Amino acid sequence: MEAAVWLLSYVSSFFFVFAATFVTFSGLLLLVRWRPWCNCPVCRAYLSSSWTAEFDNLCDWYAHLLRQSPTGTVQVHVLGNTITANPDNVEYMLKTNFDNFPKGKPFSTILGDLLGRGIFNVDGEAWRFQRKMASLVLGSGSLHSYAFRVISGEVHHRLLPLLAFVSDPLADNTMELQDVFRRFAFDSVCKISFGLDPGCLELSLPMSEFAMAFDRASTLLARRAATTAPLVWKLKRFLNVGSERGLRRSIRIVNVLADEVIRQRRILGSVSGHDLLSRFMSSVVEDDRYLRDIVISFLLAGRDTVASALTSVFFLLSRHPKVVAAIRDEVAAVTKEKDENDEVPSYEQLKDMHYVTAVLHESLRLYPPVQFDSKFCLEDDVLPDGTMVTKNARVTYHPYAMGRMERIWGSDCFDFKPERWLRDGLFIPEGLFKYPVFQAGLRVCVGKEMALMEMKAVIVSVVPRFDIEVINGGRSPHFTPGLTATITGGLSVRVHRRSACE
């Protein structure tokens, strides 16, 4: 008996020592990898947050550093991250040597609790399958026609009546525009991607709870990606404490929404549906977890990015009345023979509005919804600008900073200037590696054209009818950390309806 007790005690001690040694060794490896003791100016400023004395947003500080760099590339050693705003590097990562720069397991681990095996969080066959399915659906003319009808209906029956109500002279004329665009985009993506009107969902919580849960999850995941010690959040997740406990709670709420979307889609039947979810359900009917990941990914793409882009457009338009006037002139010229009962121009008319297209692209250049995107290097490599990156290192290209680089856009890169996209009045796009707002290469956004159509439909319907005045519009936006660009506190505006003679 004593021998057995002694043996049990010995074995327990052995495993304790082994575990302690393993944890210590792992910790030392992490220290070597992230080098938190690095005393270079960039790492020192990042760790001490001293950059906040001069910059309101981390993205603005990074843009400053990248402008100062001769190569347009900097390294933040404490994050193990190489950040670039060099178009040659972007092309190398997203096209030339695409296979060596996947999303990577570290990135999938950071976002996996929310995005799972969704298209934005996977590589290899899983990514190729989802992209092929999405491309087949999003590239079809029938879906474009269906999507335009959905968006026109949302604008006609919900957005414009809401703005008209707020603009009533007897009201206070104020509203939070970012929230309005999020609701608009959420309704649109549910109908287009899932074939559902959110009003049909039998949810146990108000829709606002799901929106807040989605936003909290996005913020907390962004914090994971910005930490210099991933072991800390992984330990907190294991123990289910602090921010990780809050993240788990938020994701649980988001899952309720995703599960209800899938349930309702099944009730309606997936075989006859033309939406994205129906197509995926026909292929992976039995895997509800996989379907949930797909639903969350398209919600992220359809709600957050569109709402972010539209918010930025109207923020900039409030500062540039001449651009507003030019939009109104173009809309009037293109739609002069439009049916008076149609509040949204036709799909073909939207295509003819070159100045509006330029305005939208210029706004996205300055305020891309996804400010940066990271990949992880599979094997040691050298970027075209001579920067060496090691195996498993994180490499980030930064569209927000790229829009503020004189060497890319000229000395007026900080100016909101839609004319830079026009040649003899016609919209001329720039190369995607210079302008990776929709990514580029093999991962270029498959929903790009649909998103542009949705945003243009909103702009050309709202701008001719309403004056949107941003309250405290003289201040530059402050962004909340998250997967997409979100203005902290929203965008408060005053809405005034224009008279027919204006």
Side-chain angles (χ1 to χ4, degrees):
M1 183 66 178
E2 290 182 2
V5 172
W6 177 85
L7 180 61
L8 181 61
S9 176
Y10 177 81
V11 171
S12 299
S13 299
F14 172 79
F15 278 106
F16 176 79
V17 172
F18 175 79
T21 302
F22 178 79
V23 170
T24 302
F25 181 70
S26 298
L28 289 174
L29 286 178
L30 286 169
L31 286 173
V32 170
R33 181 177 176 183
W34 277 285
R35 291 182 283 179
W37 59 82
C38 179
N39 199 39
C40 75
V42 173
C43 292
R44 192 164 61 246
Y46 184 86
L47 290 170
S48 66
S49 296
S50 61
W51 58 267
T52 59
E54 187 176 353
F55 301 96
D56 292 331
N57 300 292
L58 184 63
C59 57
D60 289 311
W61 180 52
Y62 280 154
H64 169 73
L65 295 175
L66 291 164
R67 284 194 301 274
Q68 288 187 321
S69 168
T71 61
T73 302
V74 297
Q75 292 181 311
V76 186
H77 306 111
V78 293
L79 293 176
N81 193 8
T82 297
I83 304 174
T84 187
N86 187 318
D88 293 335
N89 291 346
V90 176
E91 182 172 7
Y92 186 75
M93 293 166 58
L94 300 184
K95 180 184 176 183
T96 309
N97 203 13
F98 173 81
D99 290 337
N100 200 39
F101 293 93
K103 302 296 288 187
K105 289 184 178 179
F107 191 90
S108 296
T109 300
I110 291 171
L111 300 183
D113 291 330
L114 178 65
L115 299 183
R117 294 175 291 162
I119 190 171
F120 304 119
N121 205 41
V122 291
D123 295 300
E125 287 304 317
W127 169 73
R128 277 187 280 271
F129 167 73
Q130 292 185 53
R131 184 175 177 84
K132 180 179 179 181
M133 293 291 295
S135 298
L136 286 173
V137 180
L138 292 172
S140 69
S142 60
L143 183 74
H144 282 196
S145 298
Y146 170 68
F148 181 73
R149 290 196 302 272
V150 168
I151 292 163
S152 297
E154 289 296 310
V155 171
H156 179 80
H157 297 295
R158 294 183 177 176
L159 182 59
L160 293 180
L162 174 61
L163 293 174
F165 174 78
V166 174
S167 67
D168 190 315
L170 300 178
D172 67 359
N173 304 114
T174 63
M175 69 187 308
E176 205 282 88
L177 195 60
Q178 182 173 253
D179 181 62
V180 169
F181 285 144
R182 282 184 164 185
R183 293 169 186 266
F184 168 83
F186 177 78
D187 287 352
S188 298
V189 74
C190 282
K191 290 182 178 181
I192 296 169
S193 297
F194 313 137
L196 297 171
D197 187 326
C200 78
L201 301 180
E202 298 174 3
L203 296 168
S204 57
L205 292 170
M207 194 60 73
S208 58
E209 286 291 325
F210 293 98
M212 287 189 291
F214 211 105
D215 296 340
R216 282 195 301 267
S218 177
T219 298
L220 293 173
L221 290 172
R223 289 181 186 174
R224 278 185 179 181
T227 184
T228 58
L231 187 63
V232 174
W233 70 257
K234 291 179 180 180
L235 182 61
K236 288 167 68 178
R237 181 176 64 173
F238 177 76
L239 298 174
N240 193 28
V241 297
S243 59
E244 288 297 315
R245 184 175 184 177
L247 175 60
R248 185 171 296 181
R249 186 184 305 114
S250 295
I251 291 175
R252 192 181 303 122
I253 294 173
V254 171
N255 286 344
V256 171
L257 172 61
D259 291 342
E260 175 61 12
V261 166
I262 295 168
R263 189 182 77 85
Q264 286 290 343
R265 185 64 260 178
R266 282 216 167 99
I267 291 174
L268 295 174
S270 62
V271 176
S272 60
H274 300 291
D275 56 278
L276 279 165
L277 184 57
S278 294
R279 298 295 182 94
F280 280 106
M281 289 178 74
S282 299
S283 302
V284 287
V285 174
E286 302 302 322
D287 194 342
D288 276 12
R289 176 68 186 184
Y290 196 10
L291 289 173
R292 173 260 176 213
D293 296 341
I294 291 169
V295 168
I296 297 300
S297 294
F298 282 102
L299 280 176
L300 177 67
R303 185 196 80 137
D304 290 28
T305 56
V306 169
S308 173
L310 284 173
T311 303
S312 298
V313 167
F314 282 89
F315 168 78
L316 287 166
L317 290 180
S318 72
R319 291 180 160 190
H320 297 85
K322 290 183 179 179
V323 175
V324 171
I327 291 175
R328 289 169 177 164
D329 288 343
E330 181 175 66
V331 173
V334 173
T335 63
K336 57 186 176 182
E337 297 181 0
K338 179 172 71 72
D339 189 324
E340 292 182 358
N341 295 320
D342 294 334
E343 294 194 341
V344 180
S346 69
Y347 191 34
E348 292 304 317
Q349 287 172 331
L350 287 181
K351 292 181 180 179
D352 290 338
M353 296 184 188
H354 293 267
Y355 187 78
V356 173
T357 304
V359 168
L360 183 52
H361 280 74
E362 180 71 349
S363 176
L364 290 168
R365 178 183 72 84
L366 289 170
Y367 294 108
V370 180
Q371 296 177 338
F372 62 89
D373 188 28
S374 295
K375 313 295 181 187
F376 281 84
C377 189
L378 275 183
E379 301 293 341
D380 292 354
D381 210 333
V382 180
L383 300 178
D385 67 0
T387 302
M388 296 184 65
V389 289
T390 58
K391 180 179 180 179
N392 296 324
R394 180 180 174 186
V395 186
T396 298
Y397 67 93
H398 209 291
Y400 181 93
M402 294 179 75
R404 289 160 170 75
M405 301 287 283
E406 289 189 21
R407 69 192 75 172
I408 298 177
W409 297 99
S411 58
D412 60 354
C413 62
F414 287 95
D415 298 337
F416 179 58
K417 187 178 176 184
E419 292 75 16
R420 76 174 77 244
W421 296 86
L422 300 173
R423 302 289 186 277
D424 297 324
L426 300 178
F427 172 78
I428 304 296
E430 293 285 354
L432 291 182
F433 302 110
K434 171 182 176 179
Y435 180 77
V437 170
F438 295 95
Q439 293 209 55
L442 296 178
R443 276 193 180 261
V444 67
C445 176
V446 293
K448 172 185 174 181
E449 294 306 319
M450 190 174 298
L452 290 171
M453 179 266 289
E454 180 175 357
M455 292 184 283
K456 287 170 68 175
V458 171
I459 294 168
V460 302
S461 301
V462 172
V463 171
R465 293 175 174 84
F466 300 95
D467 289 314
I468 308 293
E469 174 195 354
V470 174
I471 301 172
N472 296 324
R475 291 187 307 199
S476 295
H478 181 269
F479 298 107
T480 299
L483 302 181
T484 54
T486 301
I487 297 177
T488 305
L491 189 70
S492 297
V493 301
R494 291 189 182 91
V495 183
H496 302 280
R497 186 161 195 164
R498 303 178 71 235
S499 63
C501 61
E502 285 184 279

